[in-house]
Amino acid sequence: MSLWLTLAVNSIALGGLLFLLSAGFSLIFGLMRIPNLMHGSFFMLGAYLGVTFLDKGVTFWLAALLSGVAMALIGSLIERFLLKRLSGQELPQVLLTLGFSFIIADLCLMIWTGDPWQPATPAELRGALQVAGLFFPIYRLAIVAVAVVVAIALWLLVDWTRLGAKIRAGVDDPPIARMVGIPVSRLFTLVFALGAGLAAFGGVVGAPYLSVYPGMDAEMLPLALIVVILGGTGSLVGAFVGSFIIGFLFNFGQAMFPDLAYVILFLPMVLVLVLRPQGLFGKVVS
Amino acid sequence: MTALAINALCKSFGGLRVTSNVNLSVEPGERRLIIGPNGAGKTTLFNLITGELSPDSGSIELFGNDITKVASRKRTHLGMARTYQIITLFARETILHNVSLALLGLSPLRWSFFGNLDRQHHIVESAREALAHVGLEGIAARPLAQTSYGERRRVEIAMALAQKPKLLLLDEPFAGLSIDERRDVQQLLKRIPRDVSIVMIEHNMDVALDFAEKVTLLHFGEVIVEGTRSDVVNDPRTKEVYLGH
Amino acid sequence: MSGRAPRLAAIGVAIVLLLTLPAWVANSYYVNVASQILLWAVAALALNVLVGYGGLVSLGHAALFGTAGYTAALLLQAGHGHFVADFAAIGFTLLVSAIFAILSLRSTGITFLMITLALGQILWGIAYRWASLTQGDNGVNVTTRPHLFGISLATADAFYYAVLAAFALAVISMAIFVNSPFGASLRGTRDQPRRMNALGYNVWLIRFLAFLFSGFWTGVAGLLFVYYNQFISPQIMALQTSAEILLMVISGGTATLLGPIAGAAIVVIMKNVASAYIERWNLVLGVIFVLIISFMPDGLIPGTTRIWRYGWQALRARIASARSVRRAGAS
């Protein structure tokens, strides 16, 4: 019984982290029409940066925020000076992000070596909650809480602000959006930076739970891809729901069918792409 | 037997009715013109006829055969050819190769893994013939990227004619042409023999009316008026449709 | 016709050089590098059938490459002979290619890319996790290479000639394919799929057959690989490998047959050279990728010929203007 409960708690924790990872990926895919193949790298590099900040004595949440800001800056530079040069050519842009994922993976290996890093859980969130004889690790619940807070903040941004309205217009119909004067090009930079920052923030938040290790980017990227394909590109609701579905699928799948772990994950993705390309909640991928 | 018979054809996108209970019949050898303001559903109707879109209800008959459920590429094999509003030719190839591709589409040779298309004599000769009909045989070896817009329009018509269609659908063949180019295309169309039935969509009234024997006016996906040139031109409903814009 | 003669001469020279390679390359290490270049060139040519001629970019081809290698390796380990193992490997790879094609050809462009990526990941995941079947991370050893016409392929030189023969067959078959009417149809579907459909072509079937052709030669390359390496591990089916093959294709240029061959040479040499001096092959791969996509999207071959021609023209212009200045000064 407690194995299933542990799996369940781990699943929602993973779901929360996947949301932080996938929300940005979904916005980038919805607005810029490209699957950002360096998104896993943003998560990993952000986690490494966070670990370094923590090492220098920065408090946990500040480290997470700083890492997010740093990655947002890096993301905006990459978008502004490299992706924008290929404006309108989506396939080369995707390949560019692929190339960058290799660069970042190796840079991380060079700078932080191959040993995994696991920062300590923030002091106030250590230990477990005891409810009805069952133990719930507090930090994992905290991850979910953070994800929910970020989800609400994003929802407010996208649905209630003018900026959000512009982003939604850009996702729905780029040429019309341009015609009514929305600076779609600048939005691209903003959304790419936002996505990078969110991923990095998620990487740091997840570090005490998942630790940080080489190859993490190659593991997280496919999960983000699956979440967004399942939930629908450009849809935050889809990313939210999808993240938790995949969190459960991943953990329970690994436990019950270890041999077929990746099949269980990718098969639904293939099925969705083939049968219902717009996912559960999203717009049609052109 | 009619060349083309459309019965009660309907098509909607979401809540929008783009083709509304259209009945149309074209006689063999006829020159039919379909007109209507922007958004009247003319190109949609063409897409339904060629099979690129499938209708919600109604039927389409080609020389008596019900082709409503036939795949679009098969309709080409049944004798239907079409040109497009926006020119979509093979820019990386020569004019001759473009027309050869049109001929290859109907030939079993297209599945051949051996040999070279540009050395298939019967295809190349037929392609040259088709280019001669549109007056472009002199520049057959020129890459398409180095041709003018007017020349490309004529290449497109050559490709359609090369397939020896029984029904030719022309979607705004005069669009974007200069006065001289328009005259050339007009002459070209006049020379097409009567074993080809032609249906044309056109905006430009001067050239189009000259071509047409019978005219169908579409508006919001519905047939408003149909008849000879003078019938349609003088009908009060025509004025309403156009002046209402 | 002035372009023809020099080109045929160059091909002739290349053939002679390739045939006599073990003679003028003393070190068997470099003969092995040559074998690697040739087998990866086959994989790159195969991918280019889809990318360059079909307009379909796949990030899952490493899975087809690895499927052939794994099938052969596992069958050999189970005690089967080389002929059975190789035949089954190619056959099974064709089957998997067909499944890939049926699932991915429902779309084009980026969706096609993502489906092939996902399918590749599924197969990689099976190789990696289904350890009872594939021995997982430990990989599979291949103890012996086959005998061809009674000659053992155990030595570097002998194996080189076997790879060269396969490479020659691949190039000839590719040349016949791209020049054929079917090849013309495939290129047509790359440029104007809607028009091709209107002209009477079965666009899906054309792409499907092209996918099978591509899968076949990718499988052959995978087979050559597993015999070359005498070992295979899940790494070979990872996204990174698919990206490397794609890099070979786009760095050399997709428009010609020479492009992928040159690209394979570039990537293999860099990988072997880079790994001698720099440990960080991924970094180099990534930087090359980014540079080529950003600045030479046609690939290195067309890119450098353009720079070469541009440089040559600029030089001639400079000479011409210098001459005219001198003439003006003299009068």
mmCIF file of all heavy atoms in Angstrom, chain C residues 48-85:
data_model
loop_
_atom_site.group_PDB
_atom_site.id
_atom_site.type_symbol
_atom_site.label_atom_id
_atom_site.label_comp_id
_atom_site.label_asym_id
_atom_site.label_seq_id
_atom_site.Cartn_x
_atom_site.Cartn_y
_atom_site.Cartn_z
ATOM 1 N N ASN C 48 19.372 11.070 -46.828
ATOM 2 C CA ASN C 48 19.165 12.148 -47.792
ATOM 3 C C ASN C 48 18.068 11.830 -48.799
ATOM 4 O O ASN C 48 17.473 12.741 -49.363
ATOM 5 C CB ASN C 48 20.470 12.469 -48.529
ATOM 6 C CG ASN C 48 20.388 13.813 -49.228
ATOM 7 O OD1 ASN C 48 19.782 14.738 -48.723
ATOM 8 N ND2 ASN C 48 20.960 13.904 -50.408
ATOM 9 N N VAL C 49 17.794 10.549 -49.015
ATOM 10 C CA VAL C 49 16.679 10.202 -49.898
ATOM 11 C C VAL C 49 15.417 10.881 -49.378
ATOM 12 O O VAL C 49 14.632 11.460 -50.131
ATOM 13 C CB VAL C 49 16.475 8.666 -49.961
ATOM 14 C CG1 VAL C 49 15.147 8.323 -50.615
ATOM 15 C CG2 VAL C 49 17.618 8.026 -50.707
ATOM 16 N N LEU C 50 15.236 10.838 -48.051
ATOM 17 C CA LEU C 50 14.057 11.471 -47.471
ATOM 18 C C LEU C 50 14.229 12.978 -47.307
ATOM 19 O O LEU C 50 13.344 13.750 -47.618
ATOM 20 C CB LEU C 50 13.737 10.849 -46.106
ATOM 21 C CG LEU C 50 13.077 9.474 -46.156
ATOM 22 C CD1 LEU C 50 12.790 8.982 -44.754
ATOM 23 C CD2 LEU C 50 11.796 9.526 -46.961
ATOM 24 N N VAL C 51 15.398 13.386 -46.792
ATOM 25 C CA VAL C 51 15.597 14.796 -46.475
ATOM 26 C C VAL C 51 15.752 15.638 -47.732
ATOM 27 O O VAL C 51 15.045 16.618 -47.940
ATOM 28 C CB VAL C 51 16.823 14.980 -45.551
ATOM 29 C CG1 VAL C 51 17.124 16.455 -45.366
ATOM 30 C CG2 VAL C 51 16.588 14.331 -44.213
ATOM 31 N N GLY C 52 16.711 15.234 -48.573
ATOM 32 C CA GLY C 52 17.019 16.054 -49.739
ATOM 33 C C GLY C 52 16.048 15.866 -50.880
ATOM 34 O O GLY C 52 15.608 16.827 -51.499
ATOM 35 N N TYR C 53 15.692 14.630 -51.161
ATOM 36 C CA TYR C 53 14.835 14.386 -52.324
ATOM 37 C C TYR C 53 13.364 14.328 -51.976
ATOM 38 O O TYR C 53 12.516 14.543 -52.817
ATOM 39 C CB TYR C 53 15.275 13.099 -53.041
ATOM 40 C CG TYR C 53 16.675 13.228 -53.604
ATOM 41 C CD1 TYR C 53 17.761 12.660 -52.943
ATOM 42 C CD2 TYR C 53 16.901 13.948 -54.769
ATOM 43 C CE1 TYR C 53 19.044 12.806 -53.444
ATOM 44 C CE2 TYR C 53 18.179 14.097 -55.280
ATOM 45 C CZ TYR C 53 19.251 13.526 -54.608
ATOM 46 O OH TYR C 53 20.522 13.680 -55.106
ATOM 47 N N GLY C 54 13.053 14.005 -50.706
ATOM 48 C CA GLY C 54 11.657 13.915 -50.330
ATOM 49 C C GLY C 54 11.162 15.100 -49.517
ATOM 50 O O GLY C 54 9.969 15.271 -49.328
ATOM 51 N N GLY C 55 12.115 15.894 -49.029
ATOM 52 C CA GLY C 55 11.705 17.034 -48.223
ATOM 53 C C GLY C 55 11.170 16.645 -46.855
ATOM 54 O O GLY C 55 10.422 17.411 -46.240
ATOM 55 N N LEU C 56 11.550 15.474 -46.367
ATOM 56 C CA LEU C 56 11.049 15.003 -45.075
ATOM 57 C C LEU C 56 12.228 14.784 -44.132
ATOM 58 O O LEU C 56 13.037 13.896 -44.349
ATOM 59 C CB LEU C 56 10.311 13.664 -45.262
ATOM 60 C CG LEU C 56 9.101 13.704 -46.184
ATOM 61 C CD1 LEU C 56 8.720 12.303 -46.634
ATOM 62 C CD2 LEU C 56 7.919 14.365 -45.488
ATOM 63 N N VAL C 57 12.315 15.606 -43.083
ATOM 64 C CA VAL C 57 13.450 15.500 -42.166
ATOM 65 C C VAL C 57 13.111 14.543 -41.034
ATOM 66 O O VAL C 57 12.178 14.780 -40.268
ATOM 67 C CB VAL C 57 13.814 16.881 -41.583
ATOM 68 C CG1 VAL C 57 14.965 16.743 -40.609
ATOM 69 C CG2 VAL C 57 14.194 17.827 -42.696
ATOM 70 N N SER C 58 13.879 13.468 -40.947
ATOM 71 C CA SER C 58 13.619 12.472 -39.915
ATOM 72 C C SER C 58 14.682 12.550 -38.827
ATOM 73 O O SER C 58 15.865 12.637 -39.125
ATOM 74 C CB SER C 58 13.637 11.071 -40.540
ATOM 75 O OG SER C 58 13.889 10.095 -39.555
ATOM 76 N N LEU C 59 14.269 12.499 -37.568
ATOM 77 C CA LEU C 59 15.223 12.425 -36.454
ATOM 78 C C LEU C 59 15.107 11.061 -35.787
ATOM 79 O O LEU C 59 15.359 10.927 -34.592
ATOM 80 C CB LEU C 59 14.949 13.540 -35.431
ATOM 81 C CG LEU C 59 15.644 14.868 -35.681
ATOM 82 C CD1 LEU C 59 15.310 15.864 -34.593
ATOM 83 C CD2 LEU C 59 17.149 14.702 -35.764
ATOM 84 N N GLY C 60 14.732 10.053 -36.559
ATOM 85 C CA GLY C 60 14.583 8.728 -35.972
ATOM 86 C C GLY C 60 15.373 7.671 -36.702
ATOM 87 O O GLY C 60 15.241 6.493 -36.428
ATOM 88 N N HIS C 61 16.222 8.092 -37.652
ATOM 89 C CA HIS C 61 16.886 7.093 -38.488
ATOM 90 C C HIS C 61 17.925 6.260 -37.755
ATOM 91 O O HIS C 61 18.226 5.147 -38.161
ATOM 92 C CB HIS C 61 17.496 7.763 -39.720
ATOM 93 C CG HIS C 61 16.628 7.632 -40.924
ATOM 94 N ND1 HIS C 61 15.312 8.022 -40.928
ATOM 95 C CD2 HIS C 61 16.867 7.101 -42.136
ATOM 96 C CE1 HIS C 61 14.784 7.757 -42.112
ATOM 97 N NE2 HIS C 61 15.706 7.187 -42.878
ATOM 98 N N ALA C 62 18.461 6.793 -36.668
ATOM 99 C CA ALA C 62 19.430 5.995 -35.897
ATOM 100 C C ALA C 62 18.758 4.722 -35.393
ATOM 101 O O ALA C 62 19.412 3.693 -35.219
ATOM 102 C CB ALA C 62 19.957 6.805 -34.730
ATOM 103 N N ALA C 63 17.453 4.799 -35.150
ATOM 104 C CA ALA C 63 16.743 3.616 -34.661
ATOM 105 C C ALA C 63 16.709 2.526 -35.730
ATOM 106 O O ALA C 63 16.815 1.338 -35.422
ATOM 107 C CB ALA C 63 15.324 3.985 -34.258
ATOM 108 N N LEU C 64 16.569 2.929 -36.999
ATOM 109 C CA LEU C 64 16.579 1.937 -38.077
ATOM 110 C C LEU C 64 17.977 1.352 -38.225
ATOM 111 O O LEU C 64 18.162 0.147 -38.413
ATOM 112 C CB LEU C 64 16.136 2.593 -39.394
ATOM 113 C CG LEU C 64 14.730 3.174 -39.375
ATOM 114 C CD1 LEU C 64 14.455 3.937 -40.666
ATOM 115 C CD2 LEU C 64 13.691 2.093 -39.175
ATOM 116 N N PHE C 65 18.974 2.234 -38.121
ATOM 117 C CA PHE C 65 20.390 1.836 -38.173
ATOM 118 C C PHE C 65 20.652 0.796 -37.093
ATOM 119 O O PHE C 65 21.194 -0.284 -37.355
ATOM 120 C CB PHE C 65 21.216 3.110 -37.930
ATOM 121 C CG PHE C 65 22.699 2.965 -38.096
ATOM 122 C CD1 PHE C 65 23.290 3.135 -39.335
ATOM 123 C CD2 PHE C 65 23.515 2.716 -36.992
ATOM 124 C CE1 PHE C 65 24.670 3.052 -39.480
ATOM 125 C CE2 PHE C 65 24.888 2.628 -37.134
ATOM 126 C CZ PHE C 65 25.474 2.800 -38.380
ATOM 127 N N GLY C 66 20.249 1.114 -35.871
ATOM 128 C CA GLY C 66 20.505 0.230 -34.742
ATOM 129 C C GLY C 66 19.686 -1.044 -34.794
ATOM 130 O O GLY C 66 20.138 -2.092 -34.326
ATOM 131 N N THR C 67 18.473 -0.966 -35.336
ATOM 132 C CA THR C 67 17.634 -2.168 -35.417
ATOM 133 C C THR C 67 18.330 -3.244 -36.240
ATOM 134 O O THR C 67 18.354 -4.416 -35.870
ATOM 135 C CB THR C 67 16.276 -1.831 -36.048
ATOM 136 O OG1 THR C 67 15.586 -0.914 -35.212
ATOM 137 C CG2 THR C 67 15.428 -3.075 -36.228
ATOM 138 N N ALA C 68 18.914 -2.827 -37.366
ATOM 139 C CA ALA C 68 19.618 -3.803 -38.202
ATOM 140 C C ALA C 68 20.793 -4.397 -37.434
ATOM 141 O O ALA C 68 20.986 -5.614 -37.402
ATOM 142 C CB ALA C 68 20.107 -3.132 -39.477
ATOM 143 N N GLY C 69 21.570 -3.503 -36.808
ATOM 144 C CA GLY C 69 22.741 -3.968 -36.068
ATOM 145 C C GLY C 69 22.367 -4.910 -34.939
ATOM 146 O O GLY C 69 22.973 -5.976 -34.766
ATOM 147 N N TYR C 70 21.378 -4.525 -34.150
ATOM 148 C CA TYR C 70 20.969 -5.347 -33.009
ATOM 149 C C TYR C 70 20.409 -6.693 -33.458
ATOM 150 O O TYR C 70 20.691 -7.730 -32.862
ATOM 151 C CB TYR C 70 19.905 -4.612 -32.172
ATOM 152 C CG TYR C 70 20.464 -3.954 -30.945
ATOM 153 C CD1 TYR C 70 20.700 -2.583 -30.910
ATOM 154 C CD2 TYR C 70 20.771 -4.704 -29.815
ATOM 155 C CE1 TYR C 70 21.219 -1.984 -29.780
ATOM 156 C CE2 TYR C 70 21.286 -4.107 -28.671
ATOM 157 C CZ TYR C 70 21.505 -2.747 -28.660
ATOM 158 O OH TYR C 70 22.026 -2.154 -27.539
ATOM 159 N N THR C 71 19.559 -6.669 -34.515
ATOM 160 C CA THR C 71 18.969 -7.919 -34.982
ATOM 161 C C THR C 71 20.058 -8.897 -35.379
ATOM 162 O O THR C 71 20.045 -10.070 -34.981
ATOM 163 C CB THR C 71 18.037 -7.666 -36.183
ATOM 164 O OG1 THR C 71 17.110 -6.646 -35.848
ATOM 165 C CG2 THR C 71 17.285 -8.925 -36.572
ATOM 166 N N ALA C 72 21.027 -8.407 -36.146
ATOM 167 C CA ALA C 72 22.120 -9.287 -36.565
ATOM 168 C C ALA C 72 22.904 -9.780 -35.351
ATOM 169 O O ALA C 72 23.167 -10.977 -35.215
ATOM 170 C CB ALA C 72 23.038 -8.555 -37.530
ATOM 171 N N ALA C 73 23.268 -8.841 -34.462
ATOM 172 C CA ALA C 73 24.087 -9.211 -33.312
ATOM 173 C C ALA C 73 23.399 -10.246 -32.430
ATOM 174 O O ALA C 73 24.012 -11.220 -31.998
ATOM 175 C CB ALA C 73 24.421 -7.957 -32.506
ATOM 176 N N LEU C 74 22.112 -10.030 -32.155
ATOM 177 C CA LEU C 74 21.398 -10.951 -31.282
ATOM 178 C C LEU C 74 21.233 -12.324 -31.920
ATOM 179 O O LEU C 74 21.354 -13.359 -31.254
ATOM 180 C CB LEU C 74 20.042 -10.360 -30.881
ATOM 181 C CG LEU C 74 20.132 -9.147 -29.954
ATOM 182 C CD1 LEU C 74 18.770 -8.487 -29.796
ATOM 183 C CD2 LEU C 74 20.677 -9.564 -28.589
ATOM 184 N N LEU C 75 20.958 -12.331 -33.235
ATOM 185 C CA LEU C 75 20.810 -13.618 -33.917
ATOM 186 C C LEU C 75 22.134 -14.371 -33.963
ATOM 187 O O LEU C 75 22.192 -15.585 -33.794
ATOM 188 C CB LEU C 75 20.265 -13.414 -35.334
ATOM 189 C CG LEU C 75 18.779 -13.092 -35.401
ATOM 190 C CD1 LEU C 75 18.361 -12.778 -36.830
ATOM 191 C CD2 LEU C 75 17.947 -14.249 -34.858
ATOM 192 N N LEU C 76 23.228 -13.634 -34.181
ATOM 193 C CA LEU C 76 24.543 -14.271 -34.204
ATOM 194 C C LEU C 76 24.845 -14.873 -32.833
ATOM 195 O O LEU C 76 25.360 -15.975 -32.712
ATOM 196 C CB LEU C 76 25.622 -13.247 -34.573
ATOM 197 C CG LEU C 76 25.681 -12.841 -36.037
ATOM 198 C CD1 LEU C 76 26.643 -11.670 -36.217
ATOM 199 C CD2 LEU C 76 26.122 -14.019 -36.893
ATOM 200 N N GLN C 77 24.480 -14.111 -31.806
ATOM 201 C CA GLN C 77 24.752 -14.589 -30.454
ATOM 202 C C GLN C 77 23.940 -15.831 -30.134
ATOM 203 O O GLN C 77 24.377 -16.695 -29.376
ATOM 204 C CB GLN C 77 24.410 -13.483 -29.452
ATOM 205 C CG GLN C 77 25.163 -13.649 -28.149
ATOM 206 C CD GLN C 77 24.997 -12.433 -27.273
ATOM 207 O OE1 GLN C 77 23.899 -12.148 -26.832
ATOM 208 N NE2 GLN C 77 26.090 -11.744 -27.013
ATOM 209 N N ALA C 78 22.731 -15.909 -30.762
ATOM 210 C CA ALA C 78 21.881 -17.078 -30.526
ATOM 211 C C ALA C 78 22.357 -18.279 -31.319
ATOM 212 O O ALA C 78 21.764 -19.355 -31.235
ATOM 213 C CB ALA C 78 20.441 -16.738 -30.903
ATOM 214 N N GLY C 79 23.424 -18.086 -32.085
ATOM 215 C CA GLY C 79 24.019 -19.231 -32.760
ATOM 216 C C GLY C 79 23.710 -19.341 -34.238
ATOM 217 O O GLY C 79 24.143 -20.278 -34.903
ATOM 218 N N HIS C 80 22.961 -18.358 -34.789
ATOM 219 C CA HIS C 80 22.648 -18.439 -36.210
ATOM 220 C C HIS C 80 23.851 -18.042 -37.057
ATOM 221 O O HIS C 80 24.768 -17.385 -36.583
ATOM 222 C CB HIS C 80 21.467 -17.521 -36.535
ATOM 223 C CG HIS C 80 20.198 -17.966 -35.884
ATOM 224 N ND1 HIS C 80 19.357 -18.890 -36.436
ATOM 225 C CD2 HIS C 80 19.648 -17.613 -34.702
ATOM 226 C CE1 HIS C 80 18.329 -19.088 -35.630
ATOM 227 N NE2 HIS C 80 18.481 -18.329 -34.565
ATOM 228 N N GLY C 81 23.812 -18.427 -38.310
ATOM 229 C CA GLY C 81 24.900 -18.100 -39.227
ATOM 230 C C GLY C 81 24.777 -16.666 -39.718
ATOM 231 O O GLY C 81 23.758 -16.011 -39.545
ATOM 232 N N HIS C 82 25.857 -16.207 -40.363
ATOM 233 C CA HIS C 82 25.875 -14.824 -40.831
ATOM 234 C C HIS C 82 24.807 -14.538 -41.858
ATOM 235 O O HIS C 82 24.171 -13.489 -41.840
ATOM 236 C CB HIS C 82 27.256 -14.486 -41.403
ATOM 237 C CG HIS C 82 28.311 -14.347 -40.358
ATOM 238 N ND1 HIS C 82 28.396 -13.240 -39.546
ATOM 239 C CD2 HIS C 82 29.316 -15.174 -39.982
ATOM 240 C CE1 HIS C 82 29.404 -13.383 -38.705
ATOM 241 N NE2 HIS C 82 29.984 -14.557 -38.949
ATOM 242 N N PHE C 83 24.627 -15.464 -42.784
ATOM 243 C CA PHE C 83 23.675 -15.211 -43.857
ATOM 244 C C PHE C 83 22.275 -14.991 -43.295
ATOM 245 O O PHE C 83 21.589 -14.029 -43.643
ATOM 246 C CB PHE C 83 23.682 -16.382 -44.845
ATOM 247 C CG PHE C 83 22.816 -16.130 -46.029
ATOM 248 C CD1 PHE C 83 23.194 -15.219 -46.999
ATOM 249 C CD2 PHE C 83 21.597 -16.784 -46.177
ATOM 250 C CE1 PHE C 83 22.382 -14.962 -48.099
ATOM 251 C CE2 PHE C 83 20.786 -16.541 -47.267
ATOM 252 C CZ PHE C 83 21.176 -15.623 -48.237
ATOM 253 N N VAL C 84 21.867 -15.924 -42.391
ATOM 254 C CA VAL C 84 20.540 -15.802 -41.783
ATOM 255 C C VAL C 84 20.426 -14.498 -40.996
ATOM 256 O O VAL C 84 19.446 -13.759 -41.114
ATOM 257 C CB VAL C 84 20.282 -17.008 -40.844
ATOM 258 C CG1 VAL C 84 19.034 -16.778 -40.016
ATOM 259 C CG2 VAL C 84 20.163 -18.285 -41.643
ATOM 260 N N ALA C 85 21.465 -14.220 -40.191
ATOM 261 C CA ALA C 85 21.428 -13.025 -39.342
ATOM 262 C C ALA C 85 21.306 -11.758 -40.186
ATOM 263 O O ALA C 85 20.510 -10.874 -39.885
ATOM 264 C CB ALA C 85 22.679 -12.969 -38.476
#
